[in-house]
Amino acid sequence: MEGEDTEKVVEEKQDESEEEEEWEEVEKKEKKGGICKAVIRFLASIGGLCIVLAAYIVGGAYAFIYFESKLEDEERLNKLAMEERLNSSEAFMVNYFTSLHYDPPVRLDNCSYLYWRSEQYADYHSFSSSCAASEYFTEFCTCVRTVRERYQEEVSANMYKLAQFLVKMSDEHGFDGTMGVFEPKWTVPNAILFTMSTLTMIGYGHIAPRTFAGQNFCMAYSVIGLALMMLFLANIGNLMADGIKTAYSRLACRWCRVRRRWTEHPEKAKNPPDKIKDDLVGPEDYMPTDDIAVPITVTVMFMGLYIFGGAAVFCKWEGWDLISSVYFTWVTLTTIGFGDMTPGSSFHGEMDFAQVVKMTFTSVYLLLGLALISMGISLSSEQVKNKAVWFAYAVGLAEDEEAVMRRNRLTRCTDVKETPKDKTGNKQDFFGVTRRGRGDLGVYDVE
């Protein structure tokens, strides 16, 4: 008996330990599931979307730098080789032009040795002017003119070749006259500006991927990035729209609510009326502030302040005039993006603290500005729609629901119609036929 009891006790302990292990596994799974849900919930929020979008933009910038860096290294080496060729060409042209004057084997001044003792030989450059009209066709003057013509032809041909070479360097390598300097296009600030302009569909066009891998990556990158950017802008736009609607409705209705509060307050009441801030604002039965639409003037005012505020900042940073800055902000925030003006000061230079601050401000300004413009267009479209509906009712182009119901309502008679005296009740009596013994009825069916 004692052995059986001990076995039962052992089995019970084993069962309890197994149940505890099962509960622990369930708790672990619930914790893991809770953590995953919390992470997903955070990433779906506005703060999480900001972090994901920022990481996506920066990560894409470094990816484009990786794909395009090899081509830029090749361009840098080609530019250095072209600069060496330019230096060699300049040295050759200087030596060659000098030899045309002083090197006897190749010089074009082959007529001067005939007259080296004459006074005209004292200055070669005065040969053409020293020939008088009477001596214009002499052997010496003819020789001088021939030498000058050949010299001008040689110089013109070589200068034309040099000009073509410089144009080629400018087109293919962006040569601007500086020697030994190569500015890479795919720097971190430039790449960030490129990814932002791509995902926001601004498309400045200041740089673009030129490699096969970079172009394919750009297409795949933009597919996910555009969806992420649209989701972010939609959430930010809704938040801003709700904030502006709430603020305007509370401010616009505050005076009316105060007057209503004092009007409805009993005259002999000892206590003052309740404070406005304690009211349930929004879904009220009387004067509901949730139904108030923001006027177009208020929306335009917010958009104008935002555009002019950003224009003032870029005017100081970029050295533009105010009109050009306003033009840049408008073209950027409306996603027109001509590319003739780009925020160069914010995305060029060394990555010091001031540069990071400029980049952060410009990026945040562009993202919030896009959301604000889309929100303003949405709010304005609501007002335009309401005005159009009101105008249609006022002119008579549209009818309200009650008028439509009155016009379409069918009136049915519930009384039994009485058979006329000259009818028998049969349907054949209503077709205007003559029946024997009844005369001409002349009555027709009105159906």
Side-chain angles (χ1 to χ4, degrees):
M1 294 295 291
E2 293 180 357
E4 293 178 356
D5 294 337
T6 54
E7 289 179 359
K8 290 181 180 180
V9 171
V10 172
E11 290 178 356
E12 291 177 357
K13 289 182 178 180
Q14 289 179 353
D15 294 336
E16 291 178 357
S17 61
E18 290 177 357
E19 290 179 357
E20 289 179 357
E21 290 178 357
E22 291 178 357
W23 279 109
E24 289 178 356
E25 290 179 359
V26 171
E27 289 178 355
K28 288 180 180 179
K29 290 181 180 179
E30 290 179 353
K31 287 182 179 179
K32 290 181 180 179
I35 293 173
C36 294
K37 290 180 181 179
V39 171
I40 294 173
R41 195 179 298 111
F42 171 74
L43 294 178
S45 63
I46 295 178
L49 282 175
C50 289
I51 296 174
V52 173
L53 186 61
Y56 195 80
I57 290 174
V58 176
Y62 278 100
F64 280 109
I65 291 173
Y66 172 76
F67 288 122
E68 301 294 327
S69 59
K70 295 181 180 179
L71 181 60
E72 285 208 329
D73 291 338
E74 295 177 0
E75 290 181 346
R76 180 178 60 83
L77 296 177
N78 291 334
K79 184 175 183 294
L80 292 177
M82 297 289 279
E83 289 178 357
E84 291 180 0
R85 289 180 58 188
L86 179 61
N87 291 330
S88 302
S89 300
E90 291 177 351
F92 168 77
M93 294 180 68
V94 170
N95 295 330
Y96 181 67
F97 293 156
T98 304
S99 67
L100 294 179
H101 284 283
Y102 303 108
D103 193 3
V106 296
R107 66 183 181 179
L108 297 179
D109 190 8
N110 293 323
C111 59
S112 62
Y113 75 96
L114 299 175
Y115 307 96
W116 65 276
R117 291 184 179 180
S118 64
E119 295 179 357
Q120 295 172 335
Y121 186 75
D123 186 6
Y124 172 79
H125 297 285
S126 65
F127 282 175
S128 60
S129 61
S130 62
C131 291
S134 58
E135 301 177 352
Y136 188 78
F137 293 101
T138 61
E139 183 181 0
F140 175 75
C141 291
T142 303
C143 180
V144 169
R145 288 197 304 273
T146 303
V147 167
R148 282 190 173 276
E149 290 175 359
R150 293 178 63 185
Y151 183 77
Q152 289 176 358
E153 290 176 358
E154 289 288 334
V155 172
S156 298
N158 284 276
M159 292 301 294
Y160 180 74
K161 292 179 181 179
L162 180 62
Q164 285 185 325
F165 186 72
L166 292 174
V167 170
K168 182 179 180 181
M169 289 187 63
S170 177
D171 292 340
E172 296 181 359
H173 306 284
F175 181 70
D176 57 355
T178 57
M179 305 292 289
V181 178
F182 180 79
E183 293 184 359
K185 295 180 180 179
W186 288 98
T187 59
V188 175
N190 266 346
I192 291 176
L193 180 61
F194 169 76
T195 53
M196 284 191 58
S197 62
T198 300
L199 299 185
T200 55
M201 294 183 290
I202 296 173
Y204 286 125
H206 62 298
I207 56 175
R210 291 177 294 169
T211 62
F212 179 77
Q215 291 174 351
N216 289 328
F217 176 76
C218 181
M219 291 187 288
Y221 177 80
S222 59
V223 169
I224 302 174
L226 288 174
L228 186 63
M229 179 63 71
M230 293 301 103
L231 180 62
F232 172 76
L233 293 179
N235 289 340
I236 293 293
N238 292 334
L239 182 63
M240 296 173 68
D242 293 339
I244 291 178
K245 283 184 177 180
T246 302
Y248 174 76
S249 63
R250 303 309 183 257
L251 293 175
C253 296
R254 185 173 182 82
W255 174 246
C256 297
R257 294 171 67 82
V258 170
R259 290 184 58 188
R260 186 189 71 180
R261 181 61 52 82
W262 284 100
T263 302
E264 296 177 354
H265 190 65
E267 296 180 357
K268 298 181 180 180
K270 297 181 180 180
N271 298 325
D274 298 333
K275 296 182 180 180
I276 300 297
K277 65 179 182 179
D278 297 332
D279 286 353
L280 177 62
V281 181
E284 308 99 323
D285 295 333
Y286 178 73
M287 294 175 61
T289 55
D290 284 348
D291 295 338
I292 294 180
V294 180
I296 298 178
T297 53
V298 176
T299 305
V300 172
M301 181 184 68
F302 273 102
M303 295 168 60
L305 290 175
Y306 194 85
I307 289 174
F308 277 94
V313 175
F314 290 113
C315 180
K316 185 172 181 59
W317 283 354
E318 304 291 340
W320 299 332
D321 57 278
L322 185 59
I323 301 299
S324 298
S325 299
V326 172
Y327 165 78
F328 162 74
T329 54
W330 173 256
V331 168
T332 298
L333 297 182
T334 53
T335 66
I336 297 173
F338 289 124
D340 53 344
M341 300 178 69
T342 56
S345 177
S346 304
F347 291 88
H348 292 283
E350 298 180 358
M351 292 293 293
D352 53 3
F353 179 74
Q355 185 74 12
V356 173
V357 171
K358 290 182 179 180
M359 285 180 56
T360 304
F361 173 82
T362 304
S363 302
V364 174
Y365 177 81
L366 295 181
L367 294 177
L368 293 182
L370 291 173
L372 180 65
I373 294 297
S374 62
M375 177 213 67
I377 294 174
S378 177
L379 294 178
S380 300
S381 63
E382 291 180 4
Q383 282 292 302
V384 171
K385 181 180 178 181
N386 294 334
K387 295 294 183 183
V389 172
W390 171 83
F391 180 78
Y393 282 125
V395 176
L397 298 177
E399 298 178 348
D400 56 2
E401 186 176 357
E402 294 181 359
V404 174
M405 291 181 63
R406 286 196 303 270
R407 181 166 51 83
N408 296 331
R409 185 179 294 120
L410 297 177
T411 303
R412 296 184 178 181
C413 181
T414 58
D415 298 335
V416 178
K417 292 183 178 181
E418 184 178 357
T419 303
K421 295 180 180 180
D422 55 348
K423 301 294 187 295
T424 62
N426 296 326
K427 188 175 182 180
Q428 288 79 6
D429 293 342
F430 292 88
F431 285 95
V433 295
T434 303
R435 290 191 177 274
R436 188 178 300 175
R438 298 182 61 86
D440 298 333
L441 299 178
V443 180
Y444 296 88
D445 190 1
V446 295
E447 295 180 355

Short mmCIF file of all heavy atoms in Angstrom, two decimals, residues 23-57:
data_model
loop_
_atom_site.label_atom_id
_atom_site.label_comp_id
_atom_site.label_asym_id
_atom_site.label_seq_id
_atom_site.Cartn_x
_atom_site.Cartn_y
_atom_site.Cartn_z
N TRP A 23 2.09 25.52 -19.25
CA TRP A 23 1.71 26.90 -18.97
C TRP A 23 2.86 27.86 -19.28
O TRP A 23 2.62 28.96 -19.80
CB TRP A 23 1.27 27.04 -17.51
CG TRP A 23 -0.14 26.62 -17.26
CD1 TRP A 23 -0.57 25.51 -16.60
CD2 TRP A 23 -1.31 27.31 -17.70
NE1 TRP A 23 -1.94 25.44 -16.58
CE2 TRP A 23 -2.42 26.56 -17.25
CE3 TRP A 23 -1.54 28.48 -18.40
CZ2 TRP A 23 -3.73 26.95 -17.49
CZ3 TRP A 23 -2.84 28.89 -18.65
CH2 TRP A 23 -3.92 28.12 -18.22
N GLU A 24 4.04 27.47 -18.96
CA GLU A 24 5.19 28.33 -19.27
C GLU A 24 5.35 28.52 -20.78
O GLU A 24 5.63 29.61 -21.25
CB GLU A 24 6.46 27.71 -18.67
CG GLU A 24 6.52 27.80 -17.15
CD GLU A 24 7.77 27.15 -16.59
OE1 GLU A 24 8.54 26.58 -17.41
OE2 GLU A 24 7.99 27.22 -15.36
N GLU A 25 5.17 27.40 -21.53
CA GLU A 25 5.27 27.53 -22.99
C GLU A 25 4.17 28.43 -23.55
O GLU A 25 4.41 29.24 -24.44
CB GLU A 25 5.17 26.14 -23.62
CG GLU A 25 6.40 25.26 -23.35
CD GLU A 25 6.24 23.88 -23.97
OE1 GLU A 25 5.17 23.65 -24.57
OE2 GLU A 25 7.18 23.08 -23.85
N VAL A 26 2.96 28.27 -23.00
CA VAL A 26 1.86 29.14 -23.45
C VAL A 26 2.15 30.59 -23.13
O VAL A 26 1.92 31.50 -23.95
CB VAL A 26 0.54 28.68 -22.81
CG1 VAL A 26 -0.57 29.69 -23.10
CG2 VAL A 26 0.16 27.30 -23.32
N GLU A 27 2.67 30.85 -21.92
CA GLU A 27 3.00 32.23 -21.54
C GLU A 27 4.10 32.80 -22.44
O GLU A 27 4.06 33.97 -22.82
CB GLU A 27 3.42 32.27 -20.08
CG GLU A 27 2.27 32.03 -19.11
CD GLU A 27 2.75 32.04 -17.66
OE1 GLU A 27 3.98 32.15 -17.46
OE2 GLU A 27 1.90 31.96 -16.76
N LYS A 28 5.10 31.97 -22.77
CA LYS A 28 6.16 32.43 -23.65
C LYS A 28 5.60 32.79 -25.03
O LYS A 28 5.96 33.82 -25.62
CB LYS A 28 7.23 31.36 -23.78
CG LYS A 28 8.09 31.19 -22.54
CD LYS A 28 9.14 30.10 -22.75
CE LYS A 28 10.00 29.92 -21.51
NZ LYS A 28 11.02 28.85 -21.71
N LYS A 29 4.73 31.93 -25.56
CA LYS A 29 4.13 32.22 -26.86
C LYS A 29 3.30 33.48 -26.80
O LYS A 29 3.32 34.31 -27.73
CB LYS A 29 3.26 31.05 -27.29
CG LYS A 29 4.06 29.80 -27.65
CD LYS A 29 3.13 28.69 -28.10
CE LYS A 29 3.92 27.43 -28.47
NZ LYS A 29 3.02 26.32 -28.89
N GLU A 30 2.54 33.65 -25.69
CA GLU A 30 1.73 34.87 -25.56
C GLU A 30 2.61 36.10 -25.47
O GLU A 30 2.32 37.15 -26.05
CB GLU A 30 0.83 34.77 -24.33
CG GLU A 30 -0.29 33.75 -24.49
CD GLU A 30 -1.14 33.68 -23.25
OE1 GLU A 30 -0.76 34.33 -22.24
OE2 GLU A 30 -2.18 32.99 -23.28
N LYS A 31 3.73 35.98 -24.75
CA LYS A 31 4.66 37.12 -24.65
C LYS A 31 5.25 37.45 -26.01
O LYS A 31 5.35 38.61 -26.41
CB LYS A 31 5.76 36.80 -23.65
CG LYS A 31 5.32 36.82 -22.20
CD LYS A 31 6.48 36.53 -21.26
CE LYS A 31 6.04 36.56 -19.82
NZ LYS A 31 7.17 36.27 -18.89
N LYS A 32 5.66 36.38 -26.75
CA LYS A 32 6.22 36.61 -28.08
C LYS A 32 5.17 37.25 -28.99
O LYS A 32 5.45 38.19 -29.73
CB LYS A 32 6.70 35.30 -28.68
CG LYS A 32 7.95 34.75 -28.00
CD LYS A 32 8.38 33.45 -28.66
CE LYS A 32 9.64 32.89 -27.99
NZ LYS A 32 10.08 31.61 -28.61
N GLY A 33 3.94 36.68 -28.94
CA GLY A 33 2.88 37.26 -29.76
C GLY A 33 2.56 38.68 -29.36
O GLY A 33 2.32 39.54 -30.21
N GLY A 34 2.57 38.96 -28.06
CA GLY A 34 2.32 40.32 -27.59
C GLY A 34 3.39 41.29 -28.03
O GLY A 34 3.10 42.43 -28.41
N ILE A 35 4.65 40.83 -27.99
CA ILE A 35 5.74 41.69 -28.42
C ILE A 35 5.64 41.98 -29.92
O ILE A 35 5.81 43.13 -30.37
CB ILE A 35 7.10 41.04 -28.08
CG1 ILE A 35 7.27 40.97 -26.56
CG2 ILE A 35 8.24 41.83 -28.72
CD1 ILE A 35 8.51 40.20 -26.14
N CYS A 36 5.34 40.94 -30.70
CA CYS A 36 5.20 41.13 -32.15
C CYS A 36 4.04 42.08 -32.47
O CYS A 36 4.17 42.96 -33.33
CB CYS A 36 4.97 39.80 -32.84
SG CYS A 36 6.39 38.67 -32.76
N LYS A 37 2.93 41.90 -31.77
CA LYS A 37 1.79 42.79 -31.99
C LYS A 37 2.14 44.22 -31.61
O LYS A 37 1.75 45.17 -32.30
CB LYS A 37 0.59 42.31 -31.19
CG LYS A 37 -0.02 41.01 -31.71
CD LYS A 37 -1.21 40.60 -30.86
CE LYS A 37 -1.82 39.30 -31.38
NZ LYS A 37 -2.97 38.86 -30.55
N ALA A 38 2.87 44.37 -30.51
CA ALA A 38 3.25 45.72 -30.08
C ALA A 38 4.17 46.38 -31.09
O ALA A 38 4.04 47.57 -31.41
CB ALA A 38 3.91 45.66 -28.71
N VAL A 39 5.11 45.58 -31.63
CA VAL A 39 6.04 46.13 -32.63
C VAL A 39 5.28 46.52 -33.89
O VAL A 39 5.50 47.60 -34.46
CB VAL A 39 7.14 45.09 -32.94
CG1 VAL A 39 7.98 45.55 -34.13
CG2 VAL A 39 8.03 44.89 -31.72
N ILE A 40 4.37 45.65 -34.34
CA ILE A 40 3.60 45.96 -35.54
C ILE A 40 2.70 47.18 -35.32
O ILE A 40 2.56 48.05 -36.18
CB ILE A 40 2.76 44.73 -35.95
CG1 ILE A 40 3.68 43.59 -36.39
CG2 ILE A 40 1.79 45.10 -37.08
CD1 ILE A 40 2.95 42.29 -36.66
N ARG A 41 2.11 47.25 -34.13
CA ARG A 41 1.26 48.39 -33.81
C ARG A 41 2.07 49.68 -33.78
O ARG A 41 1.61 50.74 -34.24
CB ARG A 41 0.59 48.16 -32.46
CG ARG A 41 -0.58 49.10 -32.20
CD ARG A 41 -1.23 48.81 -30.86
NE ARG A 41 -1.78 47.47 -30.81
CZ ARG A 41 -1.29 46.49 -30.06
NH1 ARG A 41 -0.22 46.71 -29.30
NH2 ARG A 41 -1.84 45.30 -30.06
N PHE A 42 3.30 49.61 -33.27
CA PHE A 42 4.15 50.81 -33.24
C PHE A 42 4.58 51.22 -34.64
O PHE A 42 4.57 52.41 -34.99
CB PHE A 42 5.39 50.55 -32.37
CG PHE A 42 6.42 51.65 -32.45
CD1 PHE A 42 6.21 52.85 -31.82
CD2 PHE A 42 7.59 51.46 -33.17
CE1 PHE A 42 7.15 53.87 -31.90
CE2 PHE A 42 8.54 52.45 -33.25
CZ PHE A 42 8.31 53.66 -32.62
N LEU A 43 4.94 50.23 -35.47
CA LEU A 43 5.36 50.55 -36.83
C LEU A 43 4.22 51.11 -37.66
O LEU A 43 4.45 51.88 -38.60
CB LEU A 43 5.94 49.30 -37.50
CG LEU A 43 7.25 48.76 -36.92
CD1 LEU A 43 7.67 47.51 -37.66
CD2 LEU A 43 8.36 49.81 -36.96
N ALA A 44 2.99 50.72 -37.34
CA ALA A 44 1.84 51.25 -38.06
C ALA A 44 1.45 52.65 -37.62
O ALA A 44 0.69 53.32 -38.32
CB ALA A 44 0.64 50.30 -37.90
N SER A 45 1.98 53.10 -36.48
CA SER A 45 1.68 54.45 -36.01
C SER A 45 2.50 55.47 -36.79
O SER A 45 3.38 55.13 -37.60
CB SER A 45 1.97 54.56 -34.52
OG SER A 45 3.35 54.35 -34.27
N ILE A 46 2.23 56.74 -36.55
CA ILE A 46 2.93 57.80 -37.27
C ILE A 46 4.40 57.82 -36.90
O ILE A 46 5.28 57.98 -37.76
CB ILE A 46 2.27 59.16 -36.98
CG1 ILE A 46 0.84 59.16 -37.54
CG2 ILE A 46 3.08 60.30 -37.58
CD1 ILE A 46 0.08 60.43 -37.28
N GLY A 47 4.69 57.65 -35.61
CA GLY A 47 6.09 57.62 -35.19
C GLY A 47 6.85 56.45 -35.81
O GLY A 47 8.00 56.61 -36.26
N GLY A 48 6.23 55.28 -35.84
CA GLY A 48 6.88 54.13 -36.45
C GLY A 48 7.08 54.31 -37.94
O GLY A 48 8.12 53.94 -38.50
N LEU A 49 6.07 54.90 -38.61
CA LEU A 49 6.23 55.16 -40.04
C LEU A 49 7.36 56.14 -40.32
O LEU A 49 8.09 56.00 -41.32
CB LEU A 49 4.91 55.70 -40.61
CG LEU A 49 3.80 54.68 -40.87
CD1 LEU A 49 2.53 55.38 -41.31
CD2 LEU A 49 4.23 53.66 -41.91
N CYS A 50 7.52 57.13 -39.45
CA CYS A 50 8.63 58.08 -39.61
C CYS A 50 9.97 57.36 -39.54
O CYS A 50 10.88 57.61 -40.35
CB CYS A 50 8.55 59.17 -38.55
SG CYS A 50 7.18 60.33 -38.76
N ILE A 51 10.10 56.47 -38.55
CA ILE A 51 11.36 55.75 -38.40
C ILE A 51 11.61 54.82 -39.59
O ILE A 51 12.71 54.78 -40.15
CB ILE A 51 11.35 54.96 -37.07
CG1 ILE A 51 11.28 55.92 -35.89
CG2 ILE A 51 12.58 54.06 -36.97
CD1 ILE A 51 11.12 55.23 -34.55
N VAL A 52 10.57 54.09 -39.99
CA VAL A 52 10.73 53.18 -41.13
C VAL A 52 11.05 53.94 -42.40
O VAL A 52 11.94 53.56 -43.18
CB VAL A 52 9.45 52.33 -41.31
CG1 VAL A 52 9.52 51.51 -42.59
CG2 VAL A 52 9.25 51.42 -40.10
N LEU A 53 10.37 55.06 -42.63
CA LEU A 53 10.61 55.84 -43.84
C LEU A 53 12.01 56.45 -43.84
O LEU A 53 12.69 56.45 -44.88
CB LEU A 53 9.55 56.93 -43.96
CG LEU A 53 9.57 57.76 -45.25
CD1 LEU A 53 9.33 56.87 -46.45
CD2 LEU A 53 8.53 58.87 -45.18
N ALA A 54 12.45 56.96 -42.68
CA ALA A 54 13.80 57.53 -42.61
C ALA A 54 14.85 56.46 -42.88
O ALA A 54 15.82 56.68 -43.63
CB ALA A 54 14.01 58.16 -41.24
N ALA A 55 14.67 55.28 -42.28
CA ALA A 55 15.63 54.19 -42.52
C ALA A 55 15.60 53.75 -43.98
O ALA A 55 16.64 53.44 -44.58
CB ALA A 55 15.30 53.00 -41.60
N TYR A 56 14.41 53.75 -44.58
CA TYR A 56 14.29 53.34 -45.98
C TYR A 56 14.99 54.35 -46.90
O TYR A 56 15.66 53.97 -47.87
CB TYR A 56 12.82 53.23 -46.34
CG TYR A 56 12.55 52.48 -47.63
CD1 TYR A 56 12.57 51.09 -47.66
CD2 TYR A 56 12.28 53.16 -48.81
CE1 TYR A 56 12.33 50.40 -48.84
CE2 TYR A 56 12.03 52.48 -49.98
CZ TYR A 56 12.06 51.10 -49.99
OH TYR A 56 11.82 50.43 -51.16
N ILE A 57 14.85 55.63 -46.61
CA ILE A 57 15.49 56.67 -47.43
C ILE A 57 17.00 56.60 -47.31
O ILE A 57 17.73 56.62 -48.32
CB ILE A 57 14.95 58.06 -47.04
CG1 ILE A 57 13.49 58.21 -47.47
CG2 ILE A 57 15.80 59.16 -47.64
CD1 ILE A 57 12.84 59.48 -46.99
#
